[in-house]
Amino acid sequence: MRLNVGSWFASTKRECPICGRDASQGASAAAAVPIPIRHPAPKQALASLCGLCRKAIPWIAHPVCPVCGRAESCEDCIRRAERFYEISRCAVRYTDAMKDWLALYKYRGNEGVETILAAMLAFALERLLAATSQASFPIITAVPLAPERLRERGFNQAERLACRLAEWYGMSYRPLLHRLRHTEKQSLKTRRSRVVDMRGNFTAVSTASFSGNIVLLDDVYTTGSTLDECARVLRQASEPQGDSRIYGLLWARS
Ligand SMILES: [Zn+2]
Ligand SMILES: [Zn+2]
């Protein structure tokens, strides 16, 4: 009997969904990197990463700002006089590696990458549940893209990620917002002009009726202006009298 040794290796070879390296190489070292998530599905998804990618994830394990969950103390949250969302939590710091991962997903729409990013968001969601002493949120929604952006890209990354989380954690995904326009080059503007710019960018979906606690998902938190403006619109539109509480869920904190 001839043994085909090559096919054994082929069958054990496992491609890392991010970098494409053989994730079975150094699998025992990778297993030593803990995955800080309780739900088995996202935990298993992250276990499919190679050791290097697993180590590259800059988890925000110890949020310093109690409001936005940033790993450093946070001028933005101290300065903001009025806030429409309760608190938010972010999974990771927005490092160069994380910028690459997000670009890989946004511009190619790769489903394997999507699963990884959603699994990382599970970490932030579990922290949000712990911080608010809740077992679950009934509704999850996402920051929408402006129509021309959606046409260009073909999908809304925040919506797709929210749907994955909804499935895992038994929440109901509801599209509740429209985005009327996209504001360019956020980083070049002052904070004040960003807040002013956001006004009028979003409206609530006119047919939606909703109440209670809502998780609002976006990919990257920069100043919190988008999150806050969406929360303002959602609260205003919620029934019976703006009684919804909005909780932010972000993949990365810049
Ligand atoms: Zn990898
Ligand atoms: Zn903060």
Side-chain angles (χ1 to χ4, degrees):
M1 190 173 110
R2 241 184 78 203
L3 295 174
N4 185 350
V5 178
S7 75
W8 290 357
F9 285 108
S11 65
T12 54
K13 199 175 167 209
R14 200 156 50 71
E15 251 182 32
C16 170
I18 296 288
C19 69
R21 270 187 289 253
D22 182 0
S24 59
Q25 298 273 322
S28 56
V33 182
I35 298 169
I37 294 172
R38 295 170 86 162
H39 194 297
K43 200 177 175 109
Q44 196 184 359
L46 291 173
S48 71
L49 292 170
C50 75
L52 287 174
C53 287
R54 236 158 110 166
K55 271 195 230 147
I57 300 177
W59 296 115
I60 301 180
H62 304 287
V64 171
C65 178
V67 177
C68 73
R70 194 182 195 180
E72 298 87 36
S73 76
C74 185
E75 285 302 311
D76 276 351
C77 288
I78 295 165
R79 260 202 313 253
R80 181 174 277 124
E82 193 180 21
R83 191 179 61 244
F84 295 96
Y85 65 92
E86 305 298 315
I87 60 169
S88 63
R89 286 295 176 267
C90 317
V92 294
R93 283 179 289 110
Y94 201 33
T95 57
D96 287 343
M98 294 302 103
K99 285 175 192 169
D100 291 344
W101 290 23
L102 185 62
L104 201 61
Y105 176 47
K106 259 175 152 170
Y107 303 109
R108 294 199 211 143
N110 181 305
E111 211 174 301
V113 178
E114 178 178 288
T115 306
I116 297 299
L117 302 193
M120 291 163 75
L121 272 157
F123 171 69
L125 179 63
E126 291 185 3
R127 310 226 48 124
L128 189 59
L129 288 166
T132 55
S133 309
Q134 291 182 90
S136 182
F137 289 100
I139 297 175
I140 183 168
T141 192
V143 172
L145 289 179
E148 72 273 18
R149 264 297 148 95
L150 187 59
R151 270 195 301 276
E152 266 168 40
R153 194 170 294 156
F155 67 102
N156 174 1
Q157 69 279 3
E159 179 177 72
R160 293 239 305 235
L161 295 169
C163 289
R164 302 295 295 271
L165 287 172
E167 218 172 278
W168 285 332
Y169 289 87
M171 299 177 286
S172 154
Y173 174 76
R174 303 266 312 270
L176 299 177
L177 292 164
H178 287 303
R179 189 179 202 138
L180 306 174
R181 60 192 165 99
H182 190 84
T183 314
E184 289 290 341
K185 300 260 181 278
Q186 289 255 341
S187 53
L188 299 177
K189 292 183 178 151
T190 64
R191 205 184 156 270
R192 177 173 287 276
S193 72
R194 275 191 303 252
V195 172
V196 172
D197 268 3
M198 281 297 155
R199 285 282 160 118
N201 274 10
F202 300 94
T203 56
V205 170
S206 59
T207 53
S209 107
F210 56 93
S211 62
N213 293 341
I214 295 171
V215 178
L216 172 62
L217 189 147
D218 201 3
D219 49 9
V220 181
Y221 181 118
T222 306
T223 61
S225 304
T226 304
L227 181 66
D228 203 46
E229 177 58 9
C230 287
R232 188 184 71 81
V233 171
L234 283 172
R235 277 179 59 175
Q236 224 168 42
S238 72
E239 301 294 338
Q241 261 135 18
D243 70 335
S244 274
R245 286 166 178 255
I246 315 300
Y247 295 87
L249 188 67
L250 292 304
W251 177 69
R253 179 71 164 91
S254 71

